[in-house]
Amino acid sequence: MPPSPCALCHTNRALILRPKDHSKLCRQCFLTTFETEIHHTITSTSLFTRGEKIAIGASGGKDSTVLASVLKTLNERYDYGVELVLLSIDEGIKGYRDDSLETVKRNAQQYGMELTILGYDELYGWTMDQVVEQVGKKGNCTYCGVFRRQALDRGAARLGVRHVVTGHNADDVAETVVLRGDLPRLSRTTSIVTSTPSILTTHTNIKRSKPLKYAYEKEIVLYAHHKQLDYFSTECIYSPEAFRGSARALIKNLERVRPSAILDVVRSGEDMAKLVPGSDEGCGGTCSSSVPVAEEEEGGCGNANANGRTAGGEMASIEQHLAQSEVAAEHNLEVEVTTSSVNGAQNGSVPFTSGKKGRKNKAQPVPLRKLPKQVMGQCKICGYLSSQEVCKACMLLDGLNKNRPRNTIELGYEGQKKDQSINGVASGIEKLAVNGV
Amino acid sequence: MPSKHIPDMTDEPCRRCKENLPVLVVRSEPLCRECFLRYVQTKAIKRMESFRVRNAAPDHQRKLLLALSFGISSLTLLHILDGQLKNQKQRTGRTGFALDVVFVDIPNAETAASKEEAFIKIQETYPGFHYNSLDLHDIFEMASEASLSSLLCGADIKEDNTPTEKLASLVFSLTSATARADVITTLKTRLIVEHAKSTGCEGILWGDSTTKLAEKTLSETAKGRGFSLPWQVADGDSPFGLTFNYPLRDILKKELVSYVDLIGPSLASLVRDSPAATQASTSSKNTTIDDLMKQYFESVEENFPSIVSNVVRTTSKLEAPAVDSSAPRCHLCSMPVNDGRFGIHGWGGDQQDGVDAVATPGPPKLCYGCTRSIPKPATNTSNRS
């Protein structure tokens, strides 16, 4: 059989079976198509404005490396007129992050971009290695995820950047749509732009966006491969590959059965976000007037290796939590009066008796509640945006600091303290602890 | 898979009656046979609240249609409703509603004789209802609008073909197992709706369990039909001018399996389900998205039943948009398509940069999900350059 020619240029030999639609393309046409699609995403959503300074959340992994490379290419090709810088978060994981940061440093040189690295130790007084030493390997991803979100915002504020782009791809978005029955979260994950009305020092919003939202993970890998990009492919040592969650596996199986399925899930997610009661996004997040507010994300590693939160242990804990809520729903009134803690924890999974027919039930003890509308305020410790009085990062830090052995001698701890006071989080916690005593 | 049987837990009596020995554990409660049967029946009948005798006008008999597939769920629903109606009759001398039963025959390997036999047997077991057996291709004679015929031109089917030929050609024109399963299910729903309307039923009762509704939620999500989920999963008004109800929505599939087991052969012998455990097909060519979701939730249901019900509960919270009677509808699934957003083009995820994104596609106006299943008309597909 003669080699089939590229379906687009009809000249070169087709080398790539495109994961998204199974078309046969040559290397050059694949790269161009991939780039053009990202360009289309950026222009059709008016993602960038001329003169804007944009920080790329860079981990050294495939997604953010491809993002940096493509944005550089497109910025030059289409003259977006934006300034691109790299922002990396150092979680403090030896044998993983230190190596991947080396990759980011090389990327910075290769792409001629300024690089800023911000460490968890500097921001919070704890490296992930220290956190794991204290809380164990189980559940440490929650700390990492919560810390990372704030870290990127704080880093951006420090750089005077108002827009952070991340490497979230279509598979990530689809996974979240499938995974959680968390409606308020649906619009955040499906919309291309979210914003953090920052109440930190400056009164500016920090915009978050994911230009790779419609790009398949497989195509990102292919792009990196054929462009010979320098990226770091080791999994986080605290969240190994074997731990892969079932939602991720389901997405991959779907893709195998119908290549368009990932995109179709993303589309469904966008459409469903419009049906969430009380949502005011008639536009699916594409018009700038109603940008979903990004709240601190709970759990999970922020980027590609979002395995921790879908792992078996996590599903078991969700199950337990939901089962409690169900019991609470059945014994409606009594439980609500006596155990406020159960209700407090429910947030977002309020037991509903659904069904229009059943609604006329005369023994309806509680009026039907609207979905909990998140009211955003400010964390009273660090000032970060939060729906609770104290933000998740401060809550987690408080727990960590309480259990920190007092008498251990730690090198560099004094030094770190000075840095902390600049950022305020860790020192705020200490103040609270003092007041609380 | 049936719930865990616990022969060795004899030291603890049934959690509800505190007397009998438990026969199985349901959502961490050991229950005896009687209490378990009551548990299932109560959950179903609670969902039929609005069809109680006291809600029925004395001069008007409300009529509902039960869609029977001869699977465990819809048979259980028939069994429970039969009991409920007898009970109503006994206590009040009348019933809250009348029940019709419809079965849609889908051409497959099974012999016509065995189907016939099952259909006779069910009428003997549960007499007193009006039964109908339809063939899937009847849809081409029932659907009043021209919408389906516009579909057929794409599949190269002539108007004067017999309904059987039309269905065969349509199914043959589909290019994947997922698309075939999807189109058949969609047509089946439409046929049942048309039948309900033509026989004066005010609503349709579906046998879907919690597990099935969860499967459907994710399956339709994966097929790009997120927009129509509230109409496919929630109780109440459907966009078809009658109501949809899912009385078994609070019962897991594995609980229904146990129920049929415990009721005994009178019910179990009627079941004509596909083999219990869904086999993972070796080739992804023959696997459908529906199969994948079925496998997924069968495993989730085993250890995480609350996750299954949470999927359904969450989906039921989505608010269906108000349906204007003049709203444009999909020619295949007949769902209202908001703002006429037909086809797969013209949104953020459509990356063709407007090159051949046709704003208003030709005659078959299909929603996003149906567009994925129906192949593009043969014209100008091959010469995209």
Side-chain angles (χ1 to χ4, degrees):
Chain A
M1 220 172 77
S4 42
C6 167
L8 288 179
C9 66
H10 302 292
T11 336
N12 299 329
R13 217 176 117 183
L15 283 174
I16 297 167
L17 184 67
R18 213 191 151 190
K20 214 175 203 167
D21 58 9
H22 282 198
S23 57
K24 290 173 187 155
L25 303 179
C26 68
R27 177 182 167 275
Q28 192 49 50
C29 284
F30 169 74
L31 295 179
T32 313
T33 306
F34 184 87
E35 287 157 2
T36 310
E37 290 193 355
I38 310 298
H39 172 60
H40 178 259
T41 306
I42 290 167
T43 50
S44 66
T45 55
S46 313
L47 210 54
F48 301 153
T49 48
R50 183 165 286 278
E52 198 177 18
K53 187 174 177 186
I54 295 162
I56 301 168
S59 68
K62 59 179 172 27
D63 299 294
S64 57
T65 304
V66 166
L67 180 62
S69 165
V70 170
L71 288 187
K72 179 186 163 64
T73 306
L74 294 178
N75 192 30
E76 287 163 6
R77 183 183 299 159
Y78 298 102
D79 187 29
Y80 294 156
V82 294
E83 184 191 343
L84 299 166
V85 296
L86 297 172
L87 172 59
S88 287
I89 304 302
D90 182 1
E91 294 93 343
I93 304 174
K94 281 230 162 47
Y96 167 63
R97 187 50 89 212
D98 44 355
D99 292 344
S100 68
L101 284 175
E102 288 308 313
T103 314
V104 183
K105 286 176 192 162
R106 289 196 302 275
N107 289 158
Q109 285 188 338
Q110 290 154 1
Y111 306 145
M113 292 178 193
E114 193 188 304
L115 166 66
T116 307
I117 300 175
L118 200 58
Y120 278 8
D121 52 349
E122 185 187 334
L123 281 173
Y124 306 108
W126 289 82
T127 65
M128 276 311 290
D129 284 339
Q130 290 167 334
V131 171
V132 171
E133 202 176 301
Q134 181 150 325
V135 305
K137 286 200 178 183
K138 212 175 143 189
N140 76 83
C141 294
T142 309
Y143 289 81
C144 198
V146 170
F147 288 170
R148 182 186 295 104
R149 163 156 275 281
Q150 287 205 8
L152 274 176
D153 285 342
R154 288 173 194 280
R158 189 185 279 190
L159 289 171
V161 170
R162 294 170 60 177
H163 190 168
V164 180
V165 292
T166 55
H168 289 92
N169 58 41
D171 297 52
D172 296 331
V173 176
E175 184 185 346
T176 323
V177 172
V178 162
L179 186 67
R180 285 276 167 107
D182 179 351
L183 294 181
R185 196 175 172 189
L186 192 61
S187 59
R188 290 203 296 278
T189 40
T190 55
S191 103
I192 189 154
V193 183
T194 55
S195 84
T196 307
S198 158
I199 317 170
L200 301 162
T201 51
T202 50
H203 285 278
T204 53
N205 291 358
I206 292 180
K207 185 167 144 188
R208 286 275 198 125
S209 68
K210 20 185 193 283
L212 302 183
K213 177 191 167 186
Y214 298 114
Y216 279 32
E217 184 175 56
K218 279 185 181 169
E219 301 204 351
I220 290 171
V221 175
L222 277 175
Y223 185 86
H225 174 74
H226 287 282
K227 264 245 157 173
Q228 294 173 316
L229 297 183
D230 180 6
Y231 71 95
F232 184 79
S233 58
T234 306
E235 291 272 330
C236 172
I237 53 171
Y238 297 134
S239 171
E241 177 82 25
F243 232 36
R244 223 145 243 254
S246 53
R248 196 68 170 188
L250 187 64
I251 294 296
K252 293 294 177 202
N253 284 335
L254 280 174
E255 183 186 14
R256 204 168 304 135
V257 169
R258 184 186 261 186
S260 71
I262 294 179
L263 200 56
D264 299 344
V265 172
V266 174
R267 165 68 180 244
S268 282
E270 288 181 7
D271 286 344
M272 282 151 71
K274 295 177 209 158
L275 305 176
V276 174
S279 87
D280 37 38
E281 343 167 17
C283 59
T286 45
C287 61
S288 53
S289 62
S290 67
V291 176
V293 171
E295 210 227 342
E296 332 155 53
E297 257 158 43
E298 43 184 292
C301 318
N303 216 335
N305 13 326
N307 308 324
R309 65 189 147 112
T310 58
E314 185 84 4
M315 272 183 96
S317 83
I318 297 173
E319 166 69 23
Q320 199 181 15
H321 173 63
L322 289 171
Q324 280 170 3
S325 305
E326 270 171 24
V327 174
E330 270 176 28
H331 307 283
N332 228 326
L333 209 60
E334 308 98 85
V335 179
E336 283 198 338
V337 176
T338 50
T339 58
S340 58
S341 63
V342 172
N343 288 310
Q346 274 168 11
N347 196 9
S349 59
V350 177
F352 254 62
T353 33
S354 65
K356 289 163 194 163
K357 288 290 168 190
R359 223 174 254 177
K360 290 197 179 106
N361 192 348
K362 61 168 180 174
Q364 187 81 51
V366 188
L368 275 179
R369 273 174 285 181
K370 271 268 165 197
L371 275 182
K373 182 107 185 170
Q374 287 178 329
V375 182
M376 288 298 156
Q378 211 173 329
C379 168
K380 71 176 184 186
I381 295 173
C382 71
Y384 191 78
L385 174 89
S386 171
S387 56
Q388 311 289 321
E389 230 174 67
V390 174
C391 75
K392 286 201 188 89
C394 286
M395 263 159 53
L396 293 175
L397 271 180
D398 191 33
L400 286 173
N401 289 335
K402 264 185 197 147
N403 295 320
R404 187 166 228 165
R406 294 193 173 208
N407 296 329
T408 36
I409 299 154
E410 283 189 47
L411 285 174
Y413 189 62
E414 285 303 311
Q416 282 170 5
K417 249 188 189 165
K418 271 176 210 152
D419 285 338
Q420 288 157 16
S421 59
I422 300 167
N423 292 285
V425 189
S427 57
I429 282 282
E430 275 158 26
K431 262 183 251 155
L432 182 82
V434 171
N435 293 338
V437 168
Chain B
M1 260 153 275
S3 306
K4 277 172 226 152
H5 287 265
I6 34 140
D8 48 330
M9 260 182 76
T10 42
D11 44 338
E12 195 188 342
C14 166
R15 190 74 58 83
R16 301 218 166 167
C17 67
K18 317 262 192 267
E19 280 175 16
N20 303 328
L21 290 182
V23 293
L24 74 177
V25 177
V26 179
R27 308 198 192 192
S28 68
E29 274 190 325
L31 296 182
C32 71
R33 180 177 181 275
E34 293 313 311
C35 288
F36 172 69
L37 296 183
R38 198 174 311 124
Y39 160 90
V40 171
Q41 282 151 205
T42 312
K43 284 206 165 212
I45 289 171
K46 208 171 166 190
R47 283 285 167 193
M48 295 294 293
E49 195 81 18
S50 55
F51 301 104
R52 291 169 68 160
V53 175
R54 67 153 172 261
N55 293 328
D59 54 340
H60 171 72
Q61 178 73 287
R62 307 171 76 179
K63 191 158 77 165
L64 298 173
L65 181 68
L66 188 152
L68 184 74
S69 69
F70 285 97
I72 282 177
S73 305
S74 58
L75 276 169
T76 301
L77 180 58
L78 178 60
H79 178 85
I80 292 175
L81 293 181
D82 179 59
Q84 188 196 12
L85 289 170
K86 279 181 182 146
N87 202 10
Q88 288 181 345
K89 188 96 188 166
Q90 200 185 355
R91 283 194 315 200
T92 66
R94 63 194 189 109
T95 59
F97 60 95
L99 197 64
D100 276 11
V101 180
V102 69
F103 165 68
V104 175
D105 192 5
I106 290 163
N108 60 16
E110 226 180 324
T111 62
S114 78
K115 284 173 186 170
E116 192 66 26
E117 195 185 314
F119 198 65
I120 292 169
K121 201 170 162 198
I122 192 97
Q123 301 185 55
E124 289 167 1
T125 316
Y126 302 101
F129 306 123
H130 197 256
Y131 286 85
N132 262 298
S133 173
L134 306 175
D135 285 311
L136 187 58
H137 58 66
D138 292 344
I139 184 69
F140 294 107
E141 285 169 343
M142 294 189 92
S144 41
E145 326 100 82
S147 64
L148 275 178
S149 48
S150 73
L151 260 182
L152 298 175
C153 42
D156 196 24
I157 300 164
K158 289 164 207 75
E159 265 312 303
D160 55 353
N161 284 11
T162 66
T164 324
E165 288 167 343
K166 285 181 182 169
L167 180 65
S169 316
L170 178 62
V171 172
F172 183 74
S173 73
L174 306 175
T175 49
S176 69
T178 294
R180 285 188 288 273
D182 183 49
V183 169
I184 286 175
T185 312
T186 306
L187 290 178
K188 185 173 161 186
T189 306
R190 284 195 61 182
L191 177 59
I192 293 171
V193 166
E194 291 299 329
H195 176 74
K197 281 181 179 170
S198 69
T199 53
C201 295
E202 67 171 82
I204 300 174
L205 303 176
W206 305 95
D208 304 35
S209 61
T210 314
T211 318
K212 180 64 196 291
L213 288 173
E215 284 166 31
K216 196 160 140 191
T217 297
L218 285 206
S219 194
E220 294 303 305
T221 301
K223 290 188 265 182
R225 290 210 189 86
F227 79 99
S228 66
L229 270 182
W231 293 313
Q232 300 199 59
V233 173
D235 278 352
D237 291 328
S238 75
F240 304 117
L242 33 70
T243 57
F244 278 10
N245 281 80
Y246 303 87
L248 305 184
R249 67 181 311 126
D250 297 324
I251 308 164
L252 295 168
K253 179 70 189 281
K254 66 177 178 186
E255 293 168 348
L256 294 175
V257 172
S258 302
Y259 182 86
V260 171
D261 260 7
L262 289 171
I263 287 283
S266 63
L267 184 54
S269 66
L270 294 169
V271 176
R272 280 169 61 258
D273 226 351
S274 46
T278 320
Q279 295 287 318
S281 180
T282 41
S283 134
S284 55
K285 261 217 160 69
N286 298 322
T287 310
T288 67
I289 288 181
D290 299 343
D291 292 341
L292 278 183
M293 292 308 172
K294 198 166 179 212
Q295 288 158 23
Y296 178 71
F297 279 106
E298 267 173 14
S299 66
V300 174
E301 183 193 56
E302 250 334 278
N303 297 308
F304 312 112
S306 299
I307 288 184
V308 180
S309 39
N310 191 50
V311 169
V312 180
R313 197 167 40 230
T314 309
T315 314
S316 310
K317 279 188 236 166
L318 294 174
E319 271 173 5
V323 181
D324 187 340
S325 58
S326 65
R329 286 177 183 252
C330 171
H331 281 181
L332 178 57
C333 68
S334 209
M335 290 292 181
V337 178
N338 228 355
D339 312 326
R341 289 175 79 210
F342 291 106
I344 49 171
H345 297 301
W347 67 295
D350 171 33
Q351 304 285 353
Q352 302 197 17
D353 219 357
V355 182
D356 58 354
V358 192
T360 45
K365 285 202 182 301
L366 298 175
C367 73
Y368 184 92
C370 289
T371 309
R372 286 286 185 215
S373 280
I374 300 283
K376 285 173 219 135
T379 50
N380 74 28
T381 41
S382 51
N383 57 358
R384 263 187 57 198
S385 54

